[in-house]
Every structure is written in C-alpha cells, then in structure tokens.
Amino acid sequence: AQVPLIYFCGHLFVFCAAMQSFQVEQAGEPRRPPSKGLLTPRVIATVAVGSVAAALFVAVIVAVSLRRSNAGTAGPSFHGYRGMPFYVREPKASYLSATDCADKAGDRVDKQPWSAGSGFAGPFSLGLKNAVLRVCSKDKKDLGKLVVHSPPCDSPGRPRHVGIINSGNNCFLNSAMQLLLGIPELCLALFDERNIVDVGRSPVAALSYFADAYHSADGVVKEGDALRLRQELHKLGIVRGLSGQEDPGEALAMLFGKYSFPVNSNFQSVIQNYITFRISDTSEDSNGKKDTISASCKQIEECHTHGLASLAALVPLYLPFMPQQFVSLDDMYDVTFEKEPRTDFDNPLRVHTPTGQRLQVPKYVKIQELTAAKQLLLSMQLEAYDAAKDRVVKRADHIMVPERWRGKTLVGAVQHMGQDNHGHYVAYKRRCIDDSHTGSSGGGASFEWIKYDDAVTELVDVVTVIEAIAEGKLLVFAEEPDFPSCGSLQT
C-alpha cells in the first residue's frame, strides 16, 4: 500500500521541478517572448535530473520500508536465559551460535546430553554475553533466532529492592509479579516452555521481557514495561482488561492455567479426595466390577478408596462465611470435611478391592486432605451471600496468619486494603541476611522484610508484616530448617 503513494510523490516531485523551468509573468514586468515549444533543453535537463532524484528517493524509501517490515514480522523464535538451564522448542537444535551456524571459529554452546522431552532440545546453559544467538542443527542449518534474557527469578532468600511503577490500577499485577519472582522453583517453572499447554497461547515471551526490565532496572521498572506486560497478558486472557483494578489471586490462577507443571515439583501441592469405611458396614456386591471404585484395606476393618489427586501450584483457600471479624488461618484451613458418617441406603457406594472383593458401602466418610509442597502459595478469599445483591460477594474480614504454620515459615505475602476488587495491593518478601558469627554456633541467619508498594520499596519489621497480612490476599510459606543459613533456603 506504500508503493503507489511513493510513486505519486516521486512524480509530483518531477512535475514541480519541470514547472520551475517555465518563466512566470510578474506584475509590472515587460512580457517576454514565449519559448519555442515545451521540450526545450532546459526542460529536458530538469526532468532528467528530477527523475533520477525521484528514482533514488523511491529506492531508499522502499528499502527502508521492507527492512522495517521484515524486522516487525521476523520476531524471536526462541527464548533463553543466563544463569539457568533452558530448553528450545526445536528437537533438531544441536548448538547455539554467536555468529553464523556455518562459522566453525565462532563462539557456540552445545546442548548437554540429557533428556529434553518430546519436541524439545537441551538443556542449554549460556556462558556467552550475546543478546541474540542462532539456533543451529547438527548439519549446520539455521533453525531460527534465540533471544537471550536476564536471569528471571530472585536468588533463593535474596529478593531485590526493585519497585514497579503503577500508572493506575495496576497494583494487583505489580504485587503478583513481585511474589512470583520471589518463589524460585515456581518462578523457574514459569519460564520453562516444556510446561506450556498451548504453544500458541504461551505467556513465556511476555514474562521474559518483563523479567529483563526487572533485572536491569535501576531501582524501578518503568511504566512502559509494566503496561506492556498487562497488554500481553490481556491478549492471553490472563487479565480481564487493560485498565481497572483486578484480583491478583484470580490473575495467577488464570496464568497457571496455561501450564501443566510436573507432579514432583517442590511447589506442587496435592489435594486428595477419598472415602473411608469399615468392612463390617458393607455387604457383597453381586453386580460385578462395572462402575465401581478401587479401594484397599490397610487394616482388617479400615478401608479407603484411591482418590484422584487434584494438582495445583496455586492452592485456593475460599473460607466460608464466619460470623466473627477475625478468622484463624490454622482453624479454617482444615481440609477434612464431612467427618460424620454419611448413610445413603438408596444408592450405596460400590467398591472393589485388589483381592477381588466386590462390596456395597452404605455408610462411609468423605475425606479431603492437603499434602503441602515445600513451597506453598495460598490464595485466600472470604465470601458471603449478599441477600440484597442476590449473589456471593467478597468479604474483607481479618485473617490471623502466624509466622510459622503447619511446619512452614511465612516468606511472602500480598496485602489487600479496601473492599472487593477496589482498594490497593502491597507485596512483602522476606530477605536473608548473612550472619557468619551465628552460623558456626547453629543460631542460623537473621532476616529482614521488604515492602513493595508499587515503585516504593522499604524495609519493615516482622510485626508490621504480620499486622498487614491480616488483610492478606496471597500468602507464601516455605519449608526450611529450624535454624536456616542463607544458603539452605528454599525461598
């Protein structure tokens, strides 16, 4: 569409140059004799010069336009990171080259001889300083461009003093990103493309460019980088809009929906549902194994079904309506429900055991329990039915959160101040301080807390944190020794 406009401009230039060759009659001057015809030598020379100039002008404009077009469409094919092993979504990739794939003398990084999984090559571990590398096959074919990013995650126990500018109603995303970058294993898994469910809907590129900005920031991530992240996440359906306040827990749940995390991860918690019953309460089932549930009996009387595990990196905690203003996290996060035996004689439970028993179970107990990972991220939300609105609404009751809970230590949190989806979100992360004089005596390290209020970061004490997260929205707990050193921390 630009080429016709360019030619039009070129011809207009030639026409104007030709018109300048004509003598223009001015008022009060004597009339000059007209030239003999239009194609005088002067006109011909002027047209020739103008045509050459127009041709050069058109050639330059077209070349620049094509270069910009190619640069805009040939975006990065792959993403890699310094300081961490990564995999390339190209099974034929054999090495990364700093120059050309056929350049034998150029710097290169060979893939390590480990299993990368179907559809991937690697892992690769970068020691080169180049910002862009070429992905090469074993027979020296160029498979695409790899953009090299900064280390995306905080070092274990060492969150950075970096704020994020809030241009308006973006504090929910700022606080969520602060928390994610501070949970090492979960953070690294977010940048591993092997965990992506749909390649065409991957958030890895958007997260990578934001991590670059966060890593290289001189104290504060710029407004444009924060807005770019929101725009990209909006395209993927992770955040609802380009403006307005949203819920960080809901945004993280949508983000995690783009991934399928490995089951054995230290951040992968398991919620298991199963049913227990006594053999003495059962009768023989004569209908066979069809539509029955597998069960096993560890003791003579006690049996339980093999419930399917529901896996989630983000464990949601929706607390039911409670009349008191303060709710205890320890009391409410009891995931064992329906402790009283349930009796259903009209439709008894039907099970089969590995030994071949087929049983009808009229009386049983439903159990749901949590096996928490070493790093546990809780999303909390109190809800209640509002009769006037005829729907469930969010509550802003205070929740009593201990510093240590269920054998884990509080290491991060997001505080919500305000009502429903309005108000303001602030993040907190715990930082380890090296104490060499206490390490030898077994006293462990000491800690400080960093408060992230958008662009502003400041040190606060643990009492301030505990008081603030009574309005907690997201909580991060980590399993660690009783007297940890900075080098032994999970997060």
Side-chain angles (χ1 to χ4, degrees):
Q2 295 177 349
V3 174
L5 178 61
I6 293 172
Y7 275 107
F8 171 77
C9 293
H11 289 333
L12 181 61
F13 176 80
V14 173
F15 174 76
C16 292
M19 289 300 296
Q20 288 180 355
S21 67
F22 291 98
Q23 295 179 353
V24 181
E25 180 180 358
Q26 301 293 332
E29 292 185 358
R31 187 179 185 86
R32 298 180 181 181
S35 301
K36 297 179 180 180
L38 291 176
L39 298 179
T40 63
R42 184 178 179 184
V43 171
I44 294 173
T46 302
V47 171
V49 171
S51 298
V52 172
L56 291 174
F57 176 76
V58 170
V60 170
I61 293 297
V62 170
V64 172
S65 176
L66 291 175
R67 184 176 180 181
R68 288 180 178 177
S69 176
N70 291 336
T73 57
S77 302
F78 311 100
H79 298 273
Y81 309 90
R82 296 187 182 91
M84 59 175 278
F86 64 90
Y87 298 83
V88 173
R89 192 183 288 275
E90 173 50 72
K92 295 181 180 179
S94 178
Y95 62 94
L96 308 175
S97 175
T99 54
D100 185 82
C101 290
D103 186 1
K104 296 181 180 180
D107 292 332
R108 57 184 278 177
V109 176
D110 294 305
K111 71 175 181 179
Q112 300 175 20
W114 301 340
S115 175
S118 177
F120 287 86
F124 294 92
S125 185
L126 291 181
L128 305 179
K129 296 182 179 180
N130 304 66
V132 176
L133 300 173
R134 305 308 305 181
V135 180
C136 307
S137 65
K138 191 173 182 179
D139 55 357
K140 299 182 178 58
K141 290 184 179 179
D142 192 320
L143 302 175
K145 180 173 64 174
L146 183 137
V147 177
V148 181
H149 298 281
S150 303
C153 309
D154 289 339
S155 299
R158 298 298 180 90
R160 290 168 251 186
H161 282 271
V162 176
I164 307 171
I165 289 181
N166 181 7
S167 58
N169 293 324
N170 211 47
C171 58
F172 79 97
L173 188 56
N174 291 353
S175 60
M177 290 306 301
Q178 290 284 12
L179 220 57
L180 283 185
L181 295 177
I183 308 177
E185 287 203 24
L186 173 57
C187 178
L188 293 176
L190 293 174
F191 291 88
D192 190 340
E193 292 212 64
R194 294 177 302 167
N195 298 327
I196 296 297
V197 175
D198 182 357
V199 180
R201 304 283 292 172
S202 170
V204 169
L207 295 176
S208 298
Y209 286 115
F210 180 82
D212 277 344
Y214 188 85
H215 181 84
S216 60
D218 186 15
V220 178
V221 176
K222 297 178 181 179
E223 177 182 349
D225 295 310
L227 290 178
R228 175 181 179 176
L229 176 65
R230 181 162 185 169
Q231 291 169 356
E232 294 300 321
L233 296 184
H234 172 64
K235 293 177 183 178
L236 297 173
I238 294 171
V239 299
R240 294 193 300 270
L242 296 175
S243 62
Q245 191 67 275
E246 297 187 28
D247 188 306
E250 294 174 0
L252 290 186
M254 295 298 294
L255 173 64
F256 295 150
K258 306 295 181 183
Y259 294 82
S260 177
F261 294 115
V263 175
N264 60 350
S265 301
N266 282 339
F267 60 84
Q268 190 76 43
S269 299
V270 178
I271 299 177
Q272 187 176 19
N273 298 277
Y274 61 94
I275 294 171
T276 63
F277 57 91
R278 292 178 177 272
I279 293 181
S280 58
D281 293 329
T282 67
S283 60
E284 185 177 354
D285 179 15
S286 58
N287 294 325
K289 290 186 177 181
K290 186 178 180 181
D291 297 329
T292 62
I293 301 173
S294 174
S296 62
C297 303
K298 293 184 178 181
Q299 301 175 5
I300 297 177
E301 270 290 299
E302 294 291 336
C303 304
H304 68 86
T305 61
H306 301 288
L308 297 178
S310 175
L311 303 176
L314 178 74
V315 179
L317 176 56
Y318 292 97
L319 305 181
F321 173 80
M322 296 294 291
Q324 67 267 34
Q325 183 179 2
F326 289 90
V327 180
S328 168
L329 177 64
D330 192 51
D331 291 340
M332 290 307 304
Y333 202 67
D334 185 350
V335 294
T336 301
F337 300 104
E338 295 192 29
K339 295 180 182 179
E340 295 298 322
R342 174 178 172 180
T343 303
D344 189 352
F345 293 103
D346 294 332
N347 187 23
L349 188 70
R350 298 167 58 193
V351 304
H352 67 271
T353 68
T355 59
Q357 290 179 293
R358 297 185 296 273
L359 305 173
Q360 293 188 36
V361 185
K363 185 187 295 185
Y364 51 89
V365 178
K366 295 178 67 177
I367 301 293
Q368 182 183 55
E369 64 182 11
L370 168 71
T371 302
K374 290 183 178 179
Q375 299 168 349
L376 179 63
L377 174 57
L378 298 177
S379 173
M380 302 190 301
Q381 182 59 61
L382 287 137
E383 297 180 343
Y385 176 73
D386 188 321
K389 298 180 179 179
D390 192 25
R391 62 181 176 87
V392 174
V393 297
K394 297 179 180 179
R395 291 160 52 90
D397 295 51
H398 288 70
I399 302 171
M400 291 183 288
V401 179
E403 189 177 357
R404 285 190 61 83
W405 176 72
R406 301 287 177 99
K408 293 179 173 59
T409 304
L410 180 71
V411 295
V414 169
Q415 174 192 13
H416 174 231
M417 297 172 284
Q419 298 291 325
D420 208 343
N421 281 341
H422 303 285
H424 186 55
Y425 292 96
V426 175
Y428 298 86
K429 288 192 282 190
R430 193 190 64 167
R431 179 180 176 86
C432 188
I433 306 171
D434 281 316
D435 277 347
S436 57
H437 64 279
T438 60
S440 59
S441 62
S446 59
F447 301 91
E448 62 187 10
W449 282 85
I450 306 175
K451 177 182 178 181
Y452 299 86
D453 189 351
D454 289 327
V456 179
T457 64
E458 61 177 322
L459 293 178
V460 294
D461 56 34
V462 67
V463 176
T464 301
V465 175
I466 296 299
E467 291 177 352
I469 59 175
E471 301 176 298
K473 180 62 185 177
L474 297 169
L475 300 177
V476 181
F477 288 90
E479 185 178 287
E480 59 188 32
D482 291 334
F483 300 102
S485 63
C486 291
S488 66
L489 296 179
Q490 297 285 343
T491 184

